[in-house]
Amino acid sequence: MLIYLRVLKESFYFAVNALINNKLRTFLSLLGVTIGIFSIIGVLAAVDSLKQEIEGSLSNLSDTTIYFFPEPFQQTDIPRWKYKQFPRVTYGEYNYIKRNIPNVDAVSYQIFLPTQNIKYEKETVSSVGINPVTEDYTEIKNLEFTSGRFFGLREANVGSAVVILGHEVAEGLFGSIDPIGKKVKMLGKKLTVIGVLKKEGLSLVNFGYPNDSSVFLPANFIRRIYGDNNEQIFPIISIKPSEGLDIKAFIANLEQKLRNFRGIKEGQISNFFLNELSGVSNQIDNITGQMSVIGLIISGFSLLVGGFGIANIMFVSVKERTNLIGIQKSLGAKNKFILFQFLFEAVILSLIGGLIGLILVWLVSLLASQFTGDFEFILSPINILLGTIVSSFIGLISGILPAISASKLDPVEAIRTGM
């Protein structure tokens, strides 16, 4: 055992000395592997970062939340032209679901409408997202406040002129002033500020407008202004089932009751969709998975070129050191010693190139995170380990043939060739 360890140790020293003595060749060999590992791990890190950001955006929503409206989240057999003619959901259906559907923790009615300007004295914030919702919206989506509160049931029912400001809207209108109790003007009406949301940051998935640049107000306040048949508004109903339910059975029951409420006859297709948030998560997983595969295939070519570069350099190294190999063998060096010597050289070369590639990915991720603000690029330990393993494997594969050819050289022929 000690003999093998000694052989490995001496082979390692020979490999390191060979790399140090041929700096230019070592650098050129490193370059190919560095670019390859940088490409592969860079792609994986970018996809992981994107996936983490999307999952973070969805984290304050329940996977079991169901969205009732006339358009699908996923592909459907119903043609687009047809479902575009489906009737919109109504406030009456919202009340029907609240009163008649069992095993429901929360139901929320939400209206989408174009952005508006909002004013306070001389200050104006443009293109503000308007989120008219019912009081139970906070049970569907978690909202955190820096000050104030959300509106209650009575305020929601009567459509009180109250508003909750997103972080950016509050800063744009009030700066360091406390907005609570102040009156802002929007849609030609004055509204009292009753709450300010915490800064949420970048969110890649939003059902509506980003919270930071939005305001929330009672849906009935907007219904009084626009009515229920205005083409500018688009209502949806969010339904949060109780925990532990069989979601498929719940959706089937919900669909049948809504079909009955709408008077849809047996054999006719439903003129609405019950969209699950879990379907969106699955789509995101599929998309990020496809992105990873495509990125890995493209980046793999870079790494392949780097592997061929190492193999080529190793064959040149064997040719240059043929005389030395012959001398080593004539002095009693075993084939294993020669094999390990060149194999270590290839693996060390590839491993160093891989580590440099990982360092570059880490530096780029730090810079990217600085420039993109809220979006954080991550280099996970799994990707670091993967980069190390892949670079070592490439070195092993690239160096095996040159190492075998060197170990099989005849000592007399090798000395004669080198003279």
Side-chain angles (χ1 to χ4, degrees):
M1 185 65 180
L2 291 174
I3 294 174
Y4 282 106
L5 291 175
R6 185 175 178 183
V7 169
L8 288 173
K9 180 180 177 182
E10 290 180 357
S11 300
F12 178 78
Y13 285 144
F14 266 98
V16 171
N17 287 330
L19 294 175
I20 293 172
N21 293 332
N22 296 279
K23 294 182 179 63
L24 180 60
R25 189 168 67 196
T26 300
F27 170 76
L28 293 174
S29 301
L30 288 175
L31 196 59
V33 179
T34 297
I35 293 172
I37 293 296
F38 174 80
S39 301
I40 287 179
I41 304 304
V43 167
L44 291 176
V47 171
D48 285 350
S49 302
L50 180 64
K51 189 174 181 180
Q52 177 178 279
E53 193 65 35
I54 292 172
E55 288 174 349
S57 301
L58 293 172
S59 62
N60 57 359
L61 293 169
S62 170
D63 280 346
T64 59
T65 302
I66 299 163
Y67 295 88
F68 166 42
F69 63 107
E71 294 197 16
F73 279 174
Q74 302 181 43
Q75 288 185 343
T76 175
D77 294 332
I78 302 173
R80 179 180 172 84
W81 66 265
K82 192 164 189 175
Y83 66 69
K84 281 293 183 182
Q85 296 176 352
F86 285 176
R88 290 181 296 180
V89 301
T90 65
Y91 193 77
E93 288 171 325
Y94 159 71
N95 283 324
Y96 171 78
I97 293 170
K98 283 188 73 172
R99 294 167 184 166
N100 296 280
I101 305 299
N103 302 315
V104 172
D105 283 349
V107 184
S108 176
Y109 181 83
Q110 181 177 3
I111 300 172
F112 293 100
L113 71 159
T115 59
Q116 303 288 333
N117 295 341
I118 185 168
K119 295 182 179 180
Y120 173 71
E121 295 181 350
K122 295 180 180 180
E123 300 295 333
T124 301
V125 176
S126 303
S127 301
V128 174
I130 311 298
N131 290 306
V133 296
T134 48
E135 81 288 345
D136 34 17
Y137 179 81
T138 52
E139 297 180 51
I140 302 290
K141 184 174 181 180
N142 181 37
L143 296 177
E144 297 184 4
F145 290 78
T146 54
S147 60
R149 60 179 178 85
F150 205 70
F151 50 83
L153 177 61
R154 181 182 174 282
E155 292 166 313
N157 287 338
V158 301
S160 298
V162 294
V163 65
I164 294 94
L165 306 180
H167 176 80
E168 292 178 7
V169 179
E171 277 199 340
L173 291 177
F174 296 97
S176 58
I177 301 172
D178 183 9
I180 304 301
K182 304 289 191 301
K183 292 189 180 294
V184 297
K185 191 171 184 181
M186 185 178 64
L187 299 167
K189 308 286 184 180
K190 287 188 176 181
L191 299 98
T192 303
V193 178
I194 61 169
V196 178
L197 298 178
K198 278 186 179 181
K199 184 177 180 180
E200 187 178 82
L202 178 68
S203 180
L204 297 180
V205 179
N206 285 298
F207 295 101
Y209 300 105
N211 285 351
D212 288 347
S213 57
S214 299
V215 299
F216 290 84
L217 62 164
N220 282 339
F221 177 82
I222 293 297
R223 290 179 66 226
R224 285 209 312 267
I225 297 173
Y226 284 90
D228 287 326
N229 299 312
N230 194 305
E231 291 299 322
Q232 294 185 64
I233 69 170
F234 183 80
I236 72 167
I237 298 173
S238 306
I239 305 154
K240 184 180 179 182
S242 302
E243 291 186 9
L245 288 181
D246 182 338
I247 296 300
K248 289 186 178 179
F250 175 83
I251 291 175
N253 178 57
L254 176 61
E255 181 177 11
Q256 187 57 52
K257 292 204 172 189
L258 289 173
R259 283 174 61 88
N260 293 339
F261 186 80
R262 287 193 169 190
I264 301 172
K265 297 178 181 178
E266 188 176 349
Q268 294 179 327
I269 64 168
S270 299
N271 57 5
F272 57 86
F273 291 96
L274 296 174
N275 297 290
E276 294 179 80
L277 190 62
S278 58
V280 177
S281 301
N282 293 336
Q283 275 193 316
I284 290 168
D285 288 339
N286 290 335
I287 291 169
T288 53
Q290 290 172 7
M291 289 171 61
S292 296
V293 170
I294 293 170
L296 286 173
I297 291 172
I298 295 171
S299 303
F301 286 109
S302 300
L303 195 57
L304 190 62
V305 171
F308 281 129
I310 289 178
N312 187 45
I313 291 297
M314 292 309 300
F315 275 118
V316 172
S317 182
V318 171
K319 188 72 175 176
E320 286 180 350
R321 288 149 56 188
T322 300
N323 182 262
L324 179 60
I325 294 168
I327 294 172
Q328 288 176 337
K329 281 199 161 190
S330 66
L331 293 175
K334 302 291 186 182
N335 286 352
K336 293 176 186 176
F337 177 81
I338 305 298
L339 177 72
F340 284 133
Q341 180 180 323
F342 285 92
L343 207 53
F344 274 138
E345 187 173 335
V347 171
I348 292 168
L349 193 62
S350 183
L351 190 57
I352 293 172
L355 292 175
I356 294 172
L358 289 172
I359 291 170
L360 288 177
V361 172
W362 177 68
L363 291 174
V364 168
S365 66
L366 287 179
L367 289 173
S369 297
Q370 292 294 324
F371 283 111
T372 54
D374 296 316
F375 188 88
E376 182 183 2
F377 285 86
I378 57 170
L379 179 58
S380 66
I382 293 176
N383 284 336
I384 293 173
L385 180 62
L386 179 63
T388 305
I389 292 172
V390 169
S391 57
S392 300
F393 181 74
I394 289 296
L396 186 66
I397 296 300
S398 302
I400 191 70
L401 288 178
I404 290 173
S405 66
S407 67
K408 289 185 176 180
L409 286 173
D410 181 82
V412 176
E413 290 296 327
I415 295 172
R416 184 182 297 159
T417 303
M419 292 178 64

